[in-house]
Amino acid sequence: MTETESIAYDVVVLGAGPVGENVADRTRAAGLSTAVVESELVGGECSYWACMPSKALLRPVIAQADARRLPGLAQAVQGPLDTAAVLARRNYFTSNWKDDGQVGWLDGISADLYRGHGRLAGPRTITVTGPDGTRTTLTARHAVAVATGTRAQLPHLPGLAEVKPWTSREATSAQEAPGRLIVVGGGVVATEMATAWQALGSRVTLLVRGKGLLNRMEPFAGELVAEALKEAGVDVRTGTSVASVTRENGTVVAVTDAGDRIEADEILFATGRVPHTDDIGLDAVGLEPGSWLTVDDTLLVEGTDWLYAVGDVNHRALLTHQGKYQARIAGDTIAARASDTPLLDGPWGAHAATADHHAVPQVVFTDPEAAAVGLSLAEAEEAGYRVRAVDVEFSSVAGAGLYADGYKGRARMVVDLEAEILRGVTFVGPGVGELIHSATIAVAGQVPISRLWHAVPSYPTLSEVWLRLLEAYRG
């Protein structure tokens, strides 16, 4: 192994996904020299195996579903999707798994990229072992930011490795549709991939251990999505666990806890994520390898004054957009501390990731879409707020009827009865993903109900659901 001399930077970022890129962007904007270390593709999970490819797969599915609800257009789109064309467009959005463009972006902000496996070797120190075995030592004058994300969690089933199951990576990068696909899980990845591959020609069986889907959202979200999946042809089985799985002559055989035998060409386990921290040298700085990294609202790892953990790795909100938000906060915080500028780290301050606690938005791109921000009714009650849930059906909104015949969806706002603000909002229905930012502004801005009454929605749009919700609350 070839050793090189130590190279000093103001900031070293471990991980070049969208979160690490955003940290680097903010620190470079502040004039801090920044190194970025990446062992795979610059752009990370989101660009190549998650957000971008999954939404590229889903967009034609949703567009066709919407078109089939419109007389005058429905008959023209009754045939199957062109799976090869959909996959080719997906490949385009992943840049065919090449990261030249993202590397060029890092060059454009004058951040130095080190390819290889990075490990903490002590406070403010990272060693990078390159593809050719060359080892480089990087030191950080001010901060190291860990943005290594998560990886798929697989269950402990005997012989699972020999089965070669799909994880989210294989599900979003497959180059052909399997004839039969078993999806294990009931969360976002499971429901989105069941939606996509069923429409692209696979016969999908969805095995859900719990009572329903999307259990981190309001119950009606999972109920409406499950109903639509069944209508699309997915075999949805709740209260079902996989007891064993084997591959026999190329065929996957899953046996459930009830003894049912299910055969398929592939099996996808979408059963959670674990932190990608098992081999980044946490033990060298007194932390537990493989653990989530606990941080304060400035994203500083507890017990340190130099180590930041940003994005999924801190387990605050496992969403790309929320990780990028944290990265902006962390980058600005690092810059402020480096220049001895006073921190604005109180709630909703420039150096505090307050939204992680109160206003995390999410869209599930199934058909119908499910979108939520803030707390569910159950979460708000558990947090001790005195709240009231207000529900309306989208059928009460003229824009829904114009959007599609038979439009089915529901909206809920969770009102804090003492503060007279919204603690959470959930929309379920076609096209509601584009509505959720209005709810995010209302929740994050703690806009009083009395002022929301004066935010007049345009007619006839889906956003008129806001008026229906406020009318229902006022009575």
Side-chain angles (χ1 to χ4, degrees), residues 453-474:
W453 184 250
H454 296 281
V456 182
S458 297
Y459 180 88
T461 64
L462 289 175
S463 62
E464 203 175 14
V465 73
W466 279 107
L467 178 56
R468 300 285 92 85
L469 285 165
L470 294 167
E471 287 173 337
Y473 176 68
R474 288 164 67 99

Side-chain angles (χ1 to χ4, degrees), residues 268-438:
L268 161 63
F269 282 93
T271 49
R273 310 287 297 181
V274 293
H276 210 175
T277 62
D278 51 312
D279 191 24
I280 62 168
L282 290 183
D283 51 331
V285 294
L287 297 171
E288 182 67 28
S291 65
W292 302 101
L293 296 177
T294 303
V295 298
D296 64 17
D297 278 359
T298 70
L299 290 311
L300 188 68
V301 174
E302 290 185 353
T304 78
D305 62 359
W306 59 274
L307 183 64
Y308 293 76
V310 192
D312 287 6
V313 76
N314 64 37
H315 207 238
R316 286 163 68 102
L318 276 65
L319 296 159
T320 295
H321 50 269
Q322 209 68 21
K324 291 165 71 174
Y325 158 75
Q326 293 174 11
R328 295 189 292 271
I329 299 291
D332 290 347
T333 300
I334 291 167
R337 285 179 169 143
S339 62
D340 290 323
T341 301
L343 290 187
L344 301 174
D345 57 356
W348 304 108
H351 305 115
T354 311
D356 287 349
H357 308 298
H358 303 290
V360 175
Q362 180 175 22
V363 179
V364 184
F365 291 85
T366 46
D367 176 38
E369 292 176 349
V373 62
L375 304 178
S376 67
L377 174 61
E379 289 169 338
E381 290 175 338
E382 185 178 348
Y385 295 113
R386 189 168 69 87
V387 293
R388 173 186 163 195
V390 180
D391 293 357
V392 298
E393 300 296 322
F394 269 95
S395 58
S396 65
V397 178
L402 290 167
Y403 189 99
D405 282 5
Y407 188 108
K408 185 182 294 186
R410 186 180 303 174
R412 167 175 287 181
M413 65 180 188
V414 178
V415 181
D416 184 323
L417 297 173
E418 295 178 358
E420 283 279 299
I421 60 175
L422 302 184
R423 293 296 176 185
V425 179
T426 299
F427 299 130
V428 182
V432 299
E434 297 301 331
L435 280 181
I436 199 60
H437 193 58
S438 59

Side-chain angles (χ1 to χ4, degrees), residues 76-90:
V77 293
Q78 286 304 313
L81 288 169
D82 183 338
T83 300
V86 172
L87 296 180
R89 184 171 184 267
R90 183 272 320 272

Side-chain angles (χ1 to χ4, degrees), residues 4-184:
T4 64
E5 61 181 306
S6 177
I7 305 172
Y9 289 88
D10 292 323
V11 180
V12 178
V13 181
L14 187 54
V19 175
E21 288 176 324
N22 272 261
V23 173
D25 189 37
R26 298 309 303 157
T27 57
R28 286 297 304 127
L32 299 177
S33 61
T34 303
V36 181
V37 181
E38 178 54 55
S39 61
E40 292 189 290
L41 296 176
V42 175
E45 200 79 12
C46 175
S47 299
Y48 307 103
W49 300 287
C51 318
M52 295 303 290
S54 66
K55 295 345 170 243
L57 290 174
L58 285 158
R59 179 61 196 141
V61 176
I62 302 305
Q64 183 186 55
D66 282 345
R68 285 176 172 174
R69 300 184 184 104
L70 289 174
L73 182 57
Q75 290 306 116
V77 293
Q78 286 304 313
L81 288 169
D82 183 338
T83 300
V86 172
L87 296 180
R89 184 171 184 267
R90 183 272 320 272
N91 293 350
Y92 167 80
F93 275 100
T94 63
S95 301
N96 289 292
W97 290 274
K98 299 182 188 305
D99 64 1
D100 298 2
Q102 304 252 22
V103 171
W105 181 86
L106 280 180
D107 288 341
I109 64 169
S110 298
D112 291 345
L113 172 64
Y114 290 84
R115 289 193 182 274
H117 182 71
R119 300 184 87 255
L120 289 160
R124 295 182 173 85
T125 304
I126 285 181
T127 58
V128 183
T129 304
D132 62 356
T134 300
R135 191 164 71 180
T136 304
T137 299
L138 307 176
T139 59
R141 299 183 188 93
H142 298 294
V144 172
V146 176
T148 50
T150 59
R151 54 183 171 81
Q153 181 179 42
L154 289 170
H156 298 292
L157 289 172
L160 184 60
E162 287 72 31
V163 174
K164 296 183 179 178
W166 278 11
T167 66
S168 54
R169 284 197 168 195
E170 290 76 21
T172 56
S173 63
Q175 294 301 317
E176 61 181 22
R180 301 163 298 172
L181 174 65
I182 299 169
V183 179
V184 183

